[in-house]
Amino acid sequence: MITDSAIAAMLESEKARFEAANPKSRALGAEAARHWHRGVPFHWMLDWGTPFPLFAERAEGARLWDVDGHCYEDFCLGDTGSMFGHSPPPVARAIAEQASRGLTYMLATEDAPIVADELAKRFGLPFWQVTSTASEANRAVIRWCRGITGRDKILVFNGCYHGAVDDVFVDLCDGVPELRKSLVGQVYDVREHTQVIEFNDLAALEVALASGDVAAVLTEPALTNVGMVLPDPGYLEAMRELTNRHGTLLVFDETHTISSGYGGHSMTYGPKPDIFVVGKPVAGGVPCAVFGFSAEVAERMEQLREEGEKGHSGIGTTLSANALALAAMRANLTEVMTPAAYDHMLPLADRLAATLEQVIASHGLPWPVVHVGARAEFICADRAPRNGTEARASMQGALEHAIHLFFINRGVLIAPFHNMMLVSPATTDAQVARLAETLDECLGVLVP
Ligand SMILES: Cc1ncc(COP(=O)(O)O)c(C=O)c1O
C-alpha cells in the first residue's frame, strides 16, 4: 500500500534534487522562455513533469546526455520516434549523403522503388504513399476511406490516439460518447461522423457495423496510448471477419505497434488490415510516415479520382516524400529495422518485463507488467485493463509523476505518459538491469 503522503514526500524531494542537479537546464529554460511560448519550442516538451524543462545535449543508440552532463538509459526513445536507436549509423550516413545533394525536389528519387518494394514485402500490402507524420497519414486514410466507400462514419475505440486527427477525439464517459474536452478550438461535433466503442467489446462492434454506414474501423492492434490494452484472444480476427462482412475497411495504425515484431503486429500475429499506417520511427526519426493498402483499395481510390472533380484532394503536403525522408527510410528499413534487430529487441523486452514483474512482486505490489514485442508498461493497479475505461481508471497521476522524476534523477528515462518502456536494437542487458534496480530503489522508498 503506497500512501498519498509517501507520494507527496517523494515528489517534493525529487523536485528539489532535480533543481539542484540541473543548473544549465534551468538557465537555458529561463533564456528560452523569453520567446518560446511556455519556454519550449513545442509544448509536449513540458510533459516530463520536471520543475523546468530538461535540455538534451546529444543521444546515441539507447543513451541520451543532457546539457548538465548527466547520462540517461533511454527507454522512452523519443516516444517511439527513435525506437530503433538514436542516430543509427546507416541512417546518419544516408542523411549526410542526401543532404549534400538536395533535400526536397517534389520529384521521386532512386530510393523510391527500393523503399516501396521493402514496404510491400515487409507489411504484406502492395501499394504505398508517404506523408510527413503519422497524424497526416491517418487524416489521409480517413479521407480515402470515406471517399471510396461513400460512407460518412468512422469507428474508433475509447482511449484511442492517432495523432492530431480531430475526427478521433471522442471518448466514452459512462458509456456515453463525449467530445474530448481538452481539444483546443474544436467547434465541430465530430460525433456526427465518428462512433466510439470499447476495445475488446465484440457485441458493441457487431451492433456498430451492422448499420452499414461505417467507412472504416481505425485502431491500433493493441492500444498503447491509454496505457497498454492488449486484444483478447480472437478479438482482432473477429474484427477482421465483421469488417469484411459489413463492407467496412479495417485500418491498423501501427505507428507504435511496429514494436510488436518485424512487419508490425499484423504480420506477426495477424490479421491483415486493408490499410496499414506507420509513422514516427519509419525513417529513423526523420519526419516521415507511410500508409499501405490492398490492390482492391488502390483500384477504388483510382476510380474515385477518375470519376471525381479534379483539383486539391486535401491529402498530402509539399514536403511529403521529400528526398531526405526517402533516403533515411531506405537506410532505416534495409539496414536498421532488420530481422536481426528484432531478434535482439524481443527477447530482451521479455526479460525486461519478467525482471520488472519480480521487482514489483518483491515489494508486495499486485501491479501487472503489460507487454507485447519490444514495448512494455507497468500498470499501478491490481490488474491489466481490457479497455479504455479500465485503463483510465488504473492511472495514478501523482504516483506515476513521482516515479518518473525519481527515474530521471537517477539517469533513467521512460515515456512521460503513463509507464511505457521501449527496447531498441541498441539497448543492453546492463541497461535493463539498471532500470530494474532503479524501480526497486524507488519502490523501496514508496512502500512502507
Ligand atoms: C498510434 C499513433 N498514431 C499516430 C500518432 C501520431 O504521430 P505523430 O505525432 O508523429 O503524427 C501517434 C503519436 O503518438 C500514435 O501513438
Short mmCIF file of all heavy atoms in Angstrom, two decimals, residues 351-417:
data_model
loop_
_atom_site.label_atom_id
_atom_site.label_comp_id
_atom_site.label_asym_id
_atom_site.label_seq_id
_atom_site.Cartn_x
_atom_site.Cartn_y
_atom_site.Cartn_z
N ARG A 351 12.72 -10.23 -21.18
CA ARG A 351 13.49 -10.26 -19.93
C ARG A 351 13.19 -9.02 -19.09
O ARG A 351 13.06 -9.10 -17.86
CB ARG A 351 15.00 -10.36 -20.22
CG ARG A 351 15.41 -11.69 -20.84
CD ARG A 351 16.90 -11.94 -20.68
NE ARG A 351 17.75 -11.10 -21.51
CZ ARG A 351 17.98 -11.25 -22.81
NH1 ARG A 351 17.39 -12.25 -23.46
NH2 ARG A 351 18.80 -10.46 -23.47
N LEU A 352 13.05 -7.88 -19.77
CA LEU A 352 12.72 -6.64 -19.05
C LEU A 352 11.39 -6.82 -18.30
O LEU A 352 11.28 -6.53 -17.11
CB LEU A 352 12.62 -5.48 -20.05
CG LEU A 352 12.22 -4.10 -19.51
CD1 LEU A 352 12.88 -2.99 -20.34
CD2 LEU A 352 10.73 -3.88 -19.54
N ALA A 353 10.38 -7.32 -19.01
CA ALA A 353 9.05 -7.48 -18.39
C ALA A 353 9.13 -8.44 -17.20
O ALA A 353 8.59 -8.17 -16.12
CB ALA A 353 8.04 -7.97 -19.42
N ALA A 354 9.85 -9.57 -17.40
CA ALA A 354 9.94 -10.57 -16.32
C ALA A 354 10.68 -9.98 -15.11
O ALA A 354 10.28 -10.19 -13.96
CB ALA A 354 10.65 -11.82 -16.83
N THR A 355 11.74 -9.23 -15.38
CA THR A 355 12.53 -8.66 -14.28
C THR A 355 11.71 -7.64 -13.50
O THR A 355 11.72 -7.62 -12.26
CB THR A 355 13.81 -7.98 -14.84
OG1 THR A 355 14.43 -8.88 -15.73
CG2 THR A 355 14.77 -7.60 -13.74
N LEU A 356 10.98 -6.79 -14.23
CA LEU A 356 10.17 -5.78 -13.52
C LEU A 356 9.07 -6.45 -12.71
O LEU A 356 8.75 -6.03 -11.60
CB LEU A 356 9.58 -4.77 -14.50
CG LEU A 356 10.57 -3.86 -15.24
CD1 LEU A 356 9.84 -2.71 -15.91
CD2 LEU A 356 11.65 -3.31 -14.33
N GLU A 357 8.49 -7.53 -13.26
CA GLU A 357 7.45 -8.27 -12.50
C GLU A 357 8.02 -8.76 -11.17
O GLU A 357 7.38 -8.64 -10.12
CB GLU A 357 6.95 -9.47 -13.31
CG GLU A 357 5.76 -9.13 -14.18
CD GLU A 357 5.47 -10.22 -15.23
OE1 GLU A 357 6.10 -11.30 -15.18
OE2 GLU A 357 4.62 -9.96 -16.10
N GLN A 358 9.25 -9.29 -11.23
CA GLN A 358 9.88 -9.79 -9.99
C GLN A 358 10.11 -8.67 -8.99
O GLN A 358 9.82 -8.81 -7.80
CB GLN A 358 11.24 -10.41 -10.31
CG GLN A 358 11.16 -11.83 -10.84
CD GLN A 358 12.50 -12.27 -11.43
OE1 GLN A 358 13.53 -11.66 -11.19
NE2 GLN A 358 12.47 -13.33 -12.22
N VAL A 359 10.60 -7.53 -9.50
CA VAL A 359 10.88 -6.40 -8.61
C VAL A 359 9.58 -5.95 -7.93
O VAL A 359 9.52 -5.75 -6.71
CB VAL A 359 11.50 -5.22 -9.41
CG1 VAL A 359 11.51 -3.94 -8.59
CG2 VAL A 359 12.91 -5.58 -9.85
N ILE A 360 8.52 -5.80 -8.75
CA ILE A 360 7.25 -5.31 -8.22
C ILE A 360 6.70 -6.30 -7.17
O ILE A 360 6.28 -5.90 -6.08
CB ILE A 360 6.25 -5.10 -9.39
CG1 ILE A 360 6.71 -3.92 -10.25
CG2 ILE A 360 4.84 -4.88 -8.88
CD1 ILE A 360 6.05 -3.83 -11.61
N ALA A 361 6.76 -7.59 -7.50
CA ALA A 361 6.24 -8.61 -6.57
C ALA A 361 7.04 -8.60 -5.27
O ALA A 361 6.49 -8.79 -4.18
CB ALA A 361 6.30 -9.99 -7.22
N SER A 362 8.35 -8.35 -5.37
CA SER A 362 9.19 -8.38 -4.16
C SER A 362 8.81 -7.26 -3.18
O SER A 362 9.15 -7.30 -2.02
CB SER A 362 10.67 -8.29 -4.52
OG SER A 362 10.99 -6.97 -4.90
N HIS A 363 8.07 -6.26 -3.67
CA HIS A 363 7.60 -5.19 -2.77
C HIS A 363 6.14 -5.42 -2.37
O HIS A 363 5.49 -4.53 -1.82
CB HIS A 363 7.77 -3.82 -3.44
CG HIS A 363 9.22 -3.43 -3.55
ND1 HIS A 363 9.90 -2.79 -2.54
CD2 HIS A 363 10.13 -3.64 -4.54
CE1 HIS A 363 11.16 -2.60 -2.91
NE2 HIS A 363 11.33 -3.11 -4.12
N GLY A 364 5.62 -6.60 -2.71
CA GLY A 364 4.26 -6.96 -2.31
C GLY A 364 3.18 -6.22 -3.07
O GLY A 364 2.04 -6.13 -2.61
N LEU A 365 3.52 -5.69 -4.25
CA LEU A 365 2.52 -4.95 -5.04
C LEU A 365 1.91 -5.88 -6.11
O LEU A 365 2.60 -6.75 -6.64
CB LEU A 365 3.16 -3.73 -5.70
CG LEU A 365 3.63 -2.63 -4.75
CD1 LEU A 365 4.53 -1.62 -5.48
CD2 LEU A 365 2.43 -1.91 -4.13
N PRO A 366 0.63 -5.66 -6.45
CA PRO A 366 -0.02 -6.54 -7.43
C PRO A 366 0.15 -6.06 -8.88
O PRO A 366 -0.39 -6.66 -9.79
CB PRO A 366 -1.50 -6.45 -7.03
CG PRO A 366 -1.64 -5.06 -6.47
CD PRO A 366 -0.31 -4.69 -5.87
N TRP A 367 0.89 -5.00 -9.11
CA TRP A 367 0.93 -4.35 -10.42
C TRP A 367 1.35 -5.31 -11.55
O TRP A 367 2.42 -5.93 -11.47
CB TRP A 367 1.92 -3.19 -10.44
CG TRP A 367 1.68 -2.11 -9.43
CD1 TRP A 367 0.59 -1.95 -8.62
CD2 TRP A 367 2.57 -1.03 -9.13
NE1 TRP A 367 0.74 -0.84 -7.85
CE2 TRP A 367 1.94 -0.25 -8.13
CE3 TRP A 367 3.83 -0.65 -9.61
CZ2 TRP A 367 2.54 0.89 -7.60
CZ3 TRP A 367 4.42 0.49 -9.09
CH2 TRP A 367 3.78 1.25 -8.10
N PRO A 368 0.55 -5.38 -12.60
CA PRO A 368 0.96 -6.19 -13.76
C PRO A 368 1.93 -5.44 -14.68
O PRO A 368 1.95 -4.20 -14.68
CB PRO A 368 -0.36 -6.43 -14.49
CG PRO A 368 -1.22 -5.28 -14.12
CD PRO A 368 -0.78 -4.79 -12.75
N VAL A 369 2.72 -6.18 -15.42
CA VAL A 369 3.53 -5.59 -16.48
C VAL A 369 2.92 -6.08 -17.80
O VAL A 369 2.93 -7.26 -18.10
CB VAL A 369 5.01 -6.02 -16.38
CG1 VAL A 369 5.82 -5.40 -17.52
CG2 VAL A 369 5.59 -5.61 -15.03
N VAL A 370 2.33 -5.13 -18.54
CA VAL A 370 1.71 -5.48 -19.82
C VAL A 370 2.80 -5.34 -20.88
O VAL A 370 3.56 -4.37 -20.87
CB VAL A 370 0.52 -4.54 -20.14
CG1 VAL A 370 -0.10 -4.88 -21.47
CG2 VAL A 370 -0.52 -4.63 -19.04
N HIS A 371 2.82 -6.31 -21.80
CA HIS A 371 3.97 -6.27 -22.71
C HIS A 371 3.64 -7.01 -24.00
O HIS A 371 3.01 -8.06 -23.98
CB HIS A 371 5.17 -6.84 -21.93
CG HIS A 371 6.06 -7.77 -22.64
ND1 HIS A 371 6.12 -9.10 -22.37
CD2 HIS A 371 6.97 -7.54 -23.62
CE1 HIS A 371 7.02 -9.65 -23.13
NE2 HIS A 371 7.55 -8.75 -23.89
N VAL A 372 3.97 -6.38 -25.12
CA VAL A 372 3.93 -7.09 -26.40
C VAL A 372 5.12 -6.62 -27.21
O VAL A 372 5.39 -5.43 -27.32
CB VAL A 372 2.58 -6.89 -27.15
CG1 VAL A 372 2.26 -5.44 -27.45
CG2 VAL A 372 2.56 -7.70 -28.45
N GLY A 373 5.86 -7.58 -27.77
CA GLY A 373 7.04 -7.25 -28.56
C GLY A 373 8.03 -6.46 -27.73
O GLY A 373 8.32 -6.79 -26.58
N ALA A 374 8.52 -5.36 -28.30
CA ALA A 374 9.58 -4.58 -27.65
C ALA A 374 9.04 -3.44 -26.81
O ALA A 374 9.78 -2.51 -26.49
CB ALA A 374 10.52 -4.05 -28.72
N ARG A 375 7.76 -3.49 -26.47
CA ARG A 375 7.11 -2.41 -25.71
C ARG A 375 6.51 -3.00 -24.45
O ARG A 375 5.83 -4.04 -24.51
CB ARG A 375 6.01 -1.80 -26.59
CG ARG A 375 5.24 -0.64 -25.99
CD ARG A 375 4.20 -0.15 -27.00
NE ARG A 375 4.84 0.33 -28.20
CZ ARG A 375 5.24 1.59 -28.41
NH1 ARG A 375 4.99 2.51 -27.51
NH2 ARG A 375 5.84 1.93 -29.52
N ALA A 376 6.75 -2.36 -23.32
CA ALA A 376 6.22 -2.88 -22.05
C ALA A 376 5.78 -1.72 -21.19
O ALA A 376 6.24 -0.58 -21.37
CB ALA A 376 7.27 -3.71 -21.33
N GLU A 377 4.91 -2.03 -20.25
CA GLU A 377 4.43 -0.98 -19.34
C GLU A 377 4.04 -1.60 -18.01
O GLU A 377 3.37 -2.64 -17.99
CB GLU A 377 3.22 -0.31 -19.96
CG GLU A 377 2.62 0.72 -19.03
CD GLU A 377 1.59 1.58 -19.74
OE1 GLU A 377 0.75 1.01 -20.43
OE2 GLU A 377 1.66 2.78 -19.61
N PHE A 378 4.48 -1.00 -16.91
CA PHE A 378 3.96 -1.47 -15.62
C PHE A 378 2.78 -0.60 -15.25
O PHE A 378 2.77 0.62 -15.47
CB PHE A 378 5.04 -1.50 -14.53
CG PHE A 378 5.71 -0.21 -14.22
CD1 PHE A 378 5.21 0.65 -13.25
CD2 PHE A 378 6.88 0.17 -14.88
CE1 PHE A 378 5.84 1.85 -12.95
CE2 PHE A 378 7.52 1.37 -14.59
CZ PHE A 378 6.99 2.21 -13.63
N ILE A 379 1.73 -1.24 -14.78
CA ILE A 379 0.47 -0.55 -14.50
C ILE A 379 0.29 -0.52 -12.99
O ILE A 379 0.33 -1.58 -12.35
CB ILE A 379 -0.71 -1.32 -15.15
CG1 ILE A 379 -0.39 -1.67 -16.59
CG2 ILE A 379 -2.04 -0.59 -14.96
CD1 ILE A 379 -1.18 -1.06 -17.65
N CYS A 380 0.08 0.67 -12.44
CA CYS A 380 -0.03 0.81 -10.98
C CYS A 380 -1.46 0.48 -10.53
O CYS A 380 -2.18 1.34 -10.01
CB CYS A 380 0.38 2.21 -10.55
SG CYS A 380 1.99 2.72 -11.19
N ALA A 381 -1.89 -0.74 -10.79
CA ALA A 381 -3.25 -1.17 -10.46
C ALA A 381 -3.24 -2.67 -10.23
O ALA A 381 -2.22 -3.34 -10.46
CB ALA A 381 -4.20 -0.81 -11.59
N ASP A 382 -4.40 -3.21 -9.82
CA ASP A 382 -4.46 -4.63 -9.49
C ASP A 382 -4.39 -5.56 -10.69
O ASP A 382 -3.97 -6.69 -10.60
CB ASP A 382 -5.79 -4.94 -8.75
CG ASP A 382 -5.80 -4.29 -7.39
OD1 ASP A 382 -4.75 -3.75 -6.99
OD2 ASP A 382 -6.86 -4.32 -6.73
N ARG A 383 -4.93 -5.06 -11.83
CA ARG A 383 -4.93 -5.96 -12.99
C ARG A 383 -4.80 -5.17 -14.29
O ARG A 383 -5.03 -3.96 -14.31
CB ARG A 383 -6.18 -6.84 -13.00
CG ARG A 383 -7.45 -6.08 -13.06
CD ARG A 383 -8.65 -6.99 -12.73
NE ARG A 383 -9.87 -6.22 -12.71
CZ ARG A 383 -10.66 -6.03 -13.75
NH1 ARG A 383 -10.38 -6.58 -14.92
NH2 ARG A 383 -11.75 -5.30 -13.64
N ALA A 384 -4.45 -5.90 -15.34
CA ALA A 384 -4.28 -5.25 -16.65
C ALA A 384 -5.64 -4.83 -17.19
O ALA A 384 -6.60 -5.61 -17.13
CB ALA A 384 -3.60 -6.22 -17.60
N PRO A 385 -5.75 -3.62 -17.73
CA PRO A 385 -7.04 -3.16 -18.24
C PRO A 385 -7.41 -3.85 -19.56
O PRO A 385 -6.54 -4.21 -20.34
CB PRO A 385 -6.81 -1.67 -18.48
CG PRO A 385 -5.34 -1.50 -18.61
CD PRO A 385 -4.69 -2.61 -17.86
N ARG A 386 -8.73 -4.00 -19.77
CA ARG A 386 -9.20 -4.63 -21.02
C ARG A 386 -9.78 -3.60 -22.00
O ARG A 386 -10.10 -3.94 -23.13
CB ARG A 386 -10.26 -5.69 -20.71
CG ARG A 386 -9.67 -7.01 -20.25
CD ARG A 386 -10.74 -8.08 -20.24
NE ARG A 386 -11.34 -8.30 -21.53
CZ ARG A 386 -12.65 -8.18 -21.79
NH1 ARG A 386 -13.49 -7.82 -20.85
NH2 ARG A 386 -13.11 -8.43 -23.01
N ASN A 387 -9.94 -2.37 -21.53
CA ASN A 387 -10.48 -1.34 -22.43
C ASN A 387 -10.09 0.05 -21.91
O ASN A 387 -9.46 0.17 -20.85
CB ASN A 387 -12.01 -1.48 -22.57
CG ASN A 387 -12.70 -1.36 -21.22
OD1 ASN A 387 -12.34 -0.54 -20.40
ND2 ASN A 387 -13.71 -2.20 -21.00
N GLY A 388 -10.50 1.07 -22.66
CA GLY A 388 -10.09 2.43 -22.33
C GLY A 388 -10.61 2.89 -20.97
O GLY A 388 -9.89 3.58 -20.24
N THR A 389 -11.84 2.52 -20.64
CA THR A 389 -12.39 2.95 -19.35
C THR A 389 -11.58 2.36 -18.21
O THR A 389 -11.19 3.07 -17.27
CB THR A 389 -13.87 2.52 -19.24
OG1 THR A 389 -14.61 3.22 -20.25
CG2 THR A 389 -14.46 2.85 -17.88
N GLU A 390 -11.29 1.05 -18.30
CA GLU A 390 -10.49 0.42 -17.24
C GLU A 390 -9.08 1.01 -17.20
O GLU A 390 -8.51 1.21 -16.13
CB GLU A 390 -10.41 -1.09 -17.47
CG GLU A 390 -11.72 -1.82 -17.21
CD GLU A 390 -11.59 -3.33 -17.37
OE1 GLU A 390 -10.47 -3.87 -17.44
OE2 GLU A 390 -12.66 -3.97 -17.45
N ALA A 391 -8.54 1.30 -18.38
CA ALA A 391 -7.18 1.84 -18.43
C ALA A 391 -7.13 3.21 -17.76
O ALA A 391 -6.22 3.50 -16.98
CB ALA A 391 -6.70 1.94 -19.88
N ARG A 392 -8.11 4.05 -18.05
CA ARG A 392 -8.12 5.40 -17.42
C ARG A 392 -8.26 5.27 -15.90
O ARG A 392 -7.63 6.00 -15.15
CB ARG A 392 -9.27 6.23 -17.98
CG ARG A 392 -8.98 6.74 -19.38
CD ARG A 392 -9.83 7.96 -19.70
NE ARG A 392 -9.63 8.34 -21.09
CZ ARG A 392 -10.43 7.99 -22.09
NH1 ARG A 392 -11.52 7.26 -21.86
NH2 ARG A 392 -10.16 8.35 -23.33
N ALA A 393 -9.11 4.31 -15.49
CA ALA A 393 -9.34 4.16 -14.05
C ALA A 393 -8.07 3.69 -13.33
O ALA A 393 -7.90 3.94 -12.14
CB ALA A 393 -10.48 3.16 -13.82
N SER A 394 -7.19 3.02 -14.07
CA SER A 394 -5.99 2.49 -13.42
C SER A 394 -4.85 3.51 -13.34
O SER A 394 -3.82 3.26 -12.72
CB SER A 394 -5.51 1.22 -14.15
OG SER A 394 -4.98 1.58 -15.40
N MET A 395 -5.04 4.66 -13.97
CA MET A 395 -3.95 5.65 -13.96
C MET A 395 -3.84 6.36 -12.62
O MET A 395 -4.86 6.69 -12.01
CB MET A 395 -4.18 6.69 -15.06
CG MET A 395 -3.86 6.13 -16.42
SD MET A 395 -4.21 7.32 -17.70
CE MET A 395 -3.96 6.27 -19.13
N GLN A 396 -2.62 6.58 -12.17
CA GLN A 396 -2.40 7.25 -10.89
C GLN A 396 -1.42 8.38 -11.11
O GLN A 396 -0.20 8.19 -10.96
CB GLN A 396 -1.84 6.26 -9.88
CG GLN A 396 -2.78 5.10 -9.63
CD GLN A 396 -2.61 4.58 -8.21
OE1 GLN A 396 -2.39 5.35 -7.29
NE2 GLN A 396 -2.70 3.29 -8.07
N GLY A 397 -1.96 9.53 -11.50
CA GLY A 397 -1.14 10.65 -11.95
C GLY A 397 0.00 11.01 -11.01
O GLY A 397 1.16 11.04 -11.42
N ALA A 398 -0.30 11.25 -9.74
CA ALA A 398 0.74 11.73 -8.82
C ALA A 398 1.80 10.66 -8.59
O ALA A 398 3.01 10.94 -8.60
CB ALA A 398 0.10 12.13 -7.49
N LEU A 399 1.37 9.42 -8.42
CA LEU A 399 2.32 8.32 -8.19
C LEU A 399 3.23 8.16 -9.41
O LEU A 399 4.47 8.05 -9.28
CB LEU A 399 1.54 7.02 -7.92
CG LEU A 399 2.36 5.74 -7.83
CD1 LEU A 399 3.41 5.84 -6.72
CD2 LEU A 399 1.45 4.53 -7.59
N GLU A 400 2.63 8.17 -10.60
CA GLU A 400 3.44 7.99 -11.80
C GLU A 400 4.42 9.16 -11.97
O GLU A 400 5.57 8.97 -12.35
CB GLU A 400 2.53 7.84 -13.02
CG GLU A 400 1.78 6.51 -12.98
CD GLU A 400 0.69 6.36 -14.02
OE1 GLU A 400 0.69 7.10 -15.01
OE2 GLU A 400 -0.17 5.47 -13.84
N HIS A 401 3.96 10.36 -11.66
CA HIS A 401 4.81 11.55 -11.75
C HIS A 401 6.02 11.39 -10.81
O HIS A 401 7.17 11.65 -11.20
CB HIS A 401 3.98 12.77 -11.38
CG HIS A 401 4.68 14.07 -11.55
ND1 HIS A 401 4.19 15.25 -11.08
CD2 HIS A 401 5.88 14.39 -12.10
CE1 HIS A 401 5.02 16.23 -11.34
NE2 HIS A 401 6.06 15.74 -11.97
N ALA A 402 5.75 10.94 -9.60
CA ALA A 402 6.84 10.77 -8.63
C ALA A 402 7.85 9.72 -9.13
O ALA A 402 9.07 9.93 -9.04
CB ALA A 402 6.26 10.36 -7.27
N ILE A 403 7.34 8.63 -9.66
CA ILE A 403 8.23 7.57 -10.16
C ILE A 403 9.08 8.11 -11.32
O ILE A 403 10.30 7.90 -11.38
CB ILE A 403 7.43 6.32 -10.60
CG1 ILE A 403 6.72 5.69 -9.40
CG2 ILE A 403 8.32 5.30 -11.31
CD1 ILE A 403 5.75 4.56 -9.75
N HIS A 404 8.44 8.85 -12.22
CA HIS A 404 9.18 9.38 -13.38
C HIS A 404 10.31 10.31 -12.93
O HIS A 404 11.43 10.24 -13.44
CB HIS A 404 8.23 10.12 -14.33
CG HIS A 404 7.24 9.22 -15.00
ND1 HIS A 404 6.33 9.65 -15.94
CD2 HIS A 404 6.99 7.90 -14.85
CE1 HIS A 404 5.59 8.64 -16.34
NE2 HIS A 404 5.97 7.56 -15.69
N LEU A 405 9.99 11.19 -11.99
CA LEU A 405 11.03 12.12 -11.50
C LEU A 405 12.17 11.36 -10.82
O LEU A 405 13.35 11.68 -11.01
CB LEU A 405 10.42 13.10 -10.50
CG LEU A 405 9.82 14.39 -11.06
CD1 LEU A 405 9.34 15.26 -9.91
CD2 LEU A 405 10.83 15.16 -11.89
N PHE A 406 11.81 10.36 -10.03
CA PHE A 406 12.82 9.53 -9.36
C PHE A 406 13.74 8.91 -10.41
O PHE A 406 14.96 8.90 -10.27
CB PHE A 406 12.11 8.44 -8.53
CG PHE A 406 13.01 7.68 -7.62
CD1 PHE A 406 13.13 8.03 -6.28
CD2 PHE A 406 13.74 6.58 -8.08
CE1 PHE A 406 13.96 7.32 -5.41
CE2 PHE A 406 14.57 5.86 -7.23
CZ PHE A 406 14.68 6.23 -5.89
N PHE A 407 13.13 8.39 -11.48
CA PHE A 407 13.91 7.77 -12.56
C PHE A 407 14.84 8.79 -13.22
O PHE A 407 16.03 8.54 -13.42
CB PHE A 407 12.98 7.18 -13.62
CG PHE A 407 12.42 5.82 -13.29
CD1 PHE A 407 12.39 5.34 -11.99
CD2 PHE A 407 11.90 5.01 -14.30
CE1 PHE A 407 11.87 4.09 -11.68
CE2 PHE A 407 11.39 3.75 -14.01
CZ PHE A 407 11.36 3.30 -12.70
N ILE A 408 14.28 9.95 -13.58
CA ILE A 408 15.08 10.97 -14.28
C ILE A 408 16.29 11.35 -13.42
O ILE A 408 17.42 11.44 -13.92
CB ILE A 408 14.21 12.21 -14.60
CG1 ILE A 408 13.19 11.89 -15.68
CG2 ILE A 408 15.09 13.40 -15.03
CD1 ILE A 408 12.19 12.99 -15.97
N ASN A 409 16.05 11.52 -12.14
CA ASN A 409 17.14 11.94 -11.25
C ASN A 409 18.21 10.86 -11.08
O ASN A 409 19.29 11.14 -10.57
CB ASN A 409 16.58 12.32 -9.87
CG ASN A 409 15.95 13.70 -9.88
OD1 ASN A 409 16.34 14.56 -10.67
ND2 ASN A 409 14.98 13.92 -9.02
N ARG A 410 17.90 9.64 -11.51
CA ARG A 410 18.90 8.57 -11.41
C ARG A 410 19.33 8.06 -12.78
O ARG A 410 19.83 6.95 -12.93
CB ARG A 410 18.35 7.43 -10.53
CG ARG A 410 18.42 7.83 -9.05
CD ARG A 410 17.34 7.24 -8.21
NE ARG A 410 17.31 7.87 -6.89
CZ ARG A 410 16.65 9.01 -6.63
NH1 ARG A 410 15.98 9.64 -7.58
NH2 ARG A 410 16.66 9.53 -5.42
N GLY A 411 19.05 8.88 -13.81
CA GLY A 411 19.57 8.57 -15.13
C GLY A 411 18.80 7.50 -15.89
O GLY A 411 19.39 6.73 -16.66
N VAL A 412 17.49 7.47 -15.70
CA VAL A 412 16.66 6.51 -16.46
C VAL A 412 15.46 7.26 -17.04
O VAL A 412 14.75 7.95 -16.31
CB VAL A 412 16.15 5.35 -15.55
CG1 VAL A 412 15.19 4.45 -16.32
CG2 VAL A 412 17.33 4.53 -15.02
N LEU A 413 15.25 7.14 -18.34
CA LEU A 413 14.09 7.77 -18.97
C LEU A 413 13.10 6.71 -19.41
O LEU A 413 13.48 5.75 -20.11
CB LEU A 413 14.51 8.56 -20.22
CG LEU A 413 15.43 9.77 -20.05
CD1 LEU A 413 15.68 10.42 -21.42
CD2 LEU A 413 14.84 10.78 -19.09
N ILE A 414 11.85 6.86 -18.98
CA ILE A 414 10.76 6.09 -19.60
C ILE A 414 9.79 7.11 -20.18
O ILE A 414 9.93 8.31 -19.91
CB ILE A 414 10.07 5.12 -18.61
CG1 ILE A 414 9.34 5.88 -17.49
CG2 ILE A 414 11.08 4.14 -18.02
CD1 ILE A 414 8.49 4.96 -16.61
N ALA A 415 8.82 6.67 -20.99
CA ALA A 415 7.92 7.65 -21.61
C ALA A 415 7.24 8.47 -20.51
O ALA A 415 6.83 7.93 -19.49
CB ALA A 415 6.89 6.93 -22.47
N PRO A 416 7.11 9.78 -20.72
CA PRO A 416 6.49 10.61 -19.69
C PRO A 416 4.99 10.37 -19.55
O PRO A 416 4.39 10.76 -18.57
CB PRO A 416 6.77 12.04 -20.16
CG PRO A 416 7.04 11.94 -21.61
CD PRO A 416 7.59 10.57 -21.86
N PHE A 417 4.40 9.75 -20.57
CA PHE A 417 2.98 9.42 -20.48
C PHE A 417 2.87 8.01 -19.90
O PHE A 417 3.52 7.09 -20.39
CB PHE A 417 2.32 9.42 -21.86
CG PHE A 417 2.86 10.50 -22.77
CD1 PHE A 417 3.69 10.18 -23.81
CD2 PHE A 417 2.53 11.83 -22.55
CE1 PHE A 417 4.19 11.17 -24.64
CE2 PHE A 417 3.03 12.82 -23.38
CZ PHE A 417 3.86 12.49 -24.43
#
